[in-house]
Amino acid sequence: MSAHLASSDRQVANTADRRTWLGLAVLTLPVLLVALDVSVLYLAIPSITASLAPSASEQLWILDIYGFLIAGLLITMGNLGDRIGRRRILLAGATVFGLASILAAFAPTAGILIAARALMGVGGATLMPSSLSLIANMFSDPRERGRAIGVWTAAFAGGSAIGPVVGGVLLHHFWWGSVFLMNVPVLAVLLILGPRLLPEFKAPSDARFDVLGVVLSMGGILPAVYAVKTLASDGMDATTVAVGIVGVVMLAAFVVWQRRAPAPLLDLKLFGNLQFVGAISVALVGMAALGGMSYLTGVYLQSVMGHDVLAAAIAGLPMAVAVAVFSVGASRVAALIGTRAAFLLAIGLAAVGNLGLLALTTSSPIWVYLLCTSVAGVGYGIQFSLVSVVAIGAVPPERAGSASGISETSFELGNALGLALLGSLATLIFRSHRNGWDFGDTLGETLLRALDMGSPGEGLASAARQAYVDGMHAASLTAGIALAVLGVAVYFAMREPK
């Protein structure tokens, strides 16, 4: 398809045709894979460890390098797509992602697997902002655009939810490399149909690309994300604090440079738009609450309630369905009651769901968990879809890639902060509630210690499970309060809803 059809004819039509909706279906494929690859690897780690014998440090990098590079490159790749073409960078990223997936599947050593995961992160960073910003070009009608972004958000939620289920099935029948090879046929469909169904769009500029901005942004985001993730998993130490300080200093330098740069990577004027700031805040705080809740309840289902990994993954499906359904319907909710009211409703539901986790005990029936997480899922589905709608709608079409990169970076940072802050709070409460018992650093370690003790260890196991639930309650309460404060801020920030 030629570029002039993409950038002009498609914008003239007020109503999207069948070809455009088919193009949207193609755009959901890379989003589904990026989300799925974040969660699917957790199940494969034991098999990978048995096969490649990675060190503790290598195992950490196998898990984290993918997310680090996605977080660090989203803003850069969004801007690059605006300049060289969003479809072009989408297809290039898909090619890199596919080739890296093949390399990962057949990696003979842990080092090569880490390198492959890094390449997957580079490819994945192009897929998110380019696919979202293309929606802004393909759907000129605001209501259809909102519905399309809802479908895009639902695909991301669906990928995150089905990752453990798909991974469990594949690992049950095949070797660990199959969780990477499943990407290849999906990306092949994208590479074949993408050039035929997706438009091209770019905003040519004579100004030089902001290379220094790229260096400063990655030099800030990567250490910051590393610091909060390490804080969540290993606790605070001098090295982690130093890395975090480096990240903060680099981010400050990035902001200073963006004020002076002739063609800045990040348009700071966007942050003068209260609608945009409100949406980004919802992404950051909402994703922190969701990330923390998902991690803590995953451990709760397995280590406290005794469910296996696959059963725990299936228990998470109702929330994923709620997120997916209400992502698609978010634009209708906003049209019915207004954008600000829809945000407030969504934030309120997410807060109620998080606070509802306070009702969980060491022997709660599963329906309590399903009810709380499903209510929260309704709220998250609405708010995350509207975040993307508002972020894209706040900028002219030629800056949509940059805006989508900012919003997706906020989601990534929010997830990292949720794991670090809420996870650390829960761990702190767990360790402080030992009451004379010989707890390990984590619930899992303590339960293994209790198992080795035989019958005398039953009291230790029971006390550890209760201490973990107490920690989860503290984190849930904190997340609920943070969401309530967010709701008040959004009420004042979005006085003139669109």
Side-chain angles (χ1 to χ4, degrees), residues 23 35 42 140 147 167 181 256 267 325 336 350-351 397 417 419 421 435 462 494 498:
Y42 290 105
S140 57
R147 205 173 307 136
L181 282 185
V256 171
D267 186 0
V325 170
L336 184 64
L417 285 171
L419 292 173
L421 300 180
N435 295 326
S462 178
M494 295 188 171
K498 293 184 178 181

Side-chain angles (χ1 to χ4, degrees), residues 230-235 295-296 299-300 303-304 423-424 426-434 437-451 460-469 471:
T230 303
L231 177 66
S233 59
D234 301 328
Y295 167 71
L296 293 171
V299 176
Y300 168 81
S303 297
V304 176
S424 296
T427 300
L428 178 65
I429 299 298
F430 170 75
R431 292 173 180 171
S432 67
H433 284 203
R434 62 183 70 216
W437 292 99
D438 185 22
F439 282 10
D441 289 336
T442 65
L443 175 60
E445 181 181 332
T446 307
L447 293 178
L448 286 175
R449 184 177 299 176
L451 185 63
L460 173 62
S462 178
R465 290 189 178 99
Q466 183 59 56
Y468 181 85
V469 170

Side-chain angles (χ1 to χ4, degrees), residues 289-307:
L290 175 59
M293 182 183 75
S294 298
Y295 167 71
L296 293 171
T297 56
V299 176
Y300 168 81
L301 289 172
Q302 295 176 65
S303 297
V304 176
M305 300 300 291
H307 299 294

Side-chain angles (χ1 to χ4, degrees), residues 167-388:
V169 172
L170 288 174
L171 292 169
H172 182 72
H173 293 93
F174 307 103
W175 97 113
W176 59 265
S178 61
V179 301
F180 298 113
L181 282 185
M182 69 178 178
N183 297 333
V184 176
V186 178
L187 291 170
V189 173
L190 170 63
L191 292 172
I192 292 171
L193 297 182
R196 293 168 172 79
L197 295 175
L198 300 177
E200 180 61 285
F201 182 93
K202 60 182 177 180
S205 174
D206 294 331
R208 296 180 62 184
F209 188 65
D210 186 12
V211 177
L212 179 57
V214 172
V215 173
L216 291 174
S217 68
M218 291 190 66
I221 293 173
L222 291 178
V225 174
Y226 173 82
V228 294
K229 284 197 171 188
T230 303
L231 177 66
S233 59
D234 301 328
M236 184 180 297
D237 58 34
T239 301
T240 302
V241 172
V243 171
I245 291 174
V246 169
V248 171
V249 170
M250 292 291 281
L251 286 174
F254 171 71
V255 172
V256 171
W257 168 247
Q258 293 306 284
R259 292 181 180 276
R260 302 170 50 191
L265 194 69
L266 178 64
D267 186 0
L268 296 178
K269 294 179 182 177
L270 286 175
F271 294 93
N273 183 322
L274 290 180
Q275 292 272 336
F276 184 83
V277 172
I280 295 304
S281 300
V282 171
L284 193 68
V285 178
M287 196 64 204
L290 175 59
M293 182 183 75
S294 298
Y295 167 71
L296 293 171
T297 56
V299 176
Y300 168 81
L301 289 172
Q302 295 176 65
S303 297
V304 176
M305 300 300 291
H307 299 294
D308 62 27
V309 175
L310 190 56
I314 292 172
L317 290 179
M319 183 177 76
V321 171
V323 171
V325 170
F326 283 89
S327 293
V328 177
S331 61
R332 294 184 180 180
V333 175
L336 184 64
I337 64 176
T339 301
R340 182 174 67 168
F343 265 124
L344 293 175
L345 172 64
I347 293 169
L349 289 171
V352 168
N354 273 273
L355 293 174
L357 296 179
L358 296 173
L360 292 177
T361 68
T362 57
S363 58
S364 295
I366 192 65
W367 68 263
V368 178
Y369 166 82
L370 296 177
L371 176 62
C372 294
T373 55
S374 295
V375 169
V378 173
Y380 289 128
I382 294 173
Q383 64 182 266
F384 292 159
S385 181
L386 292 181
V387 163
S388 298

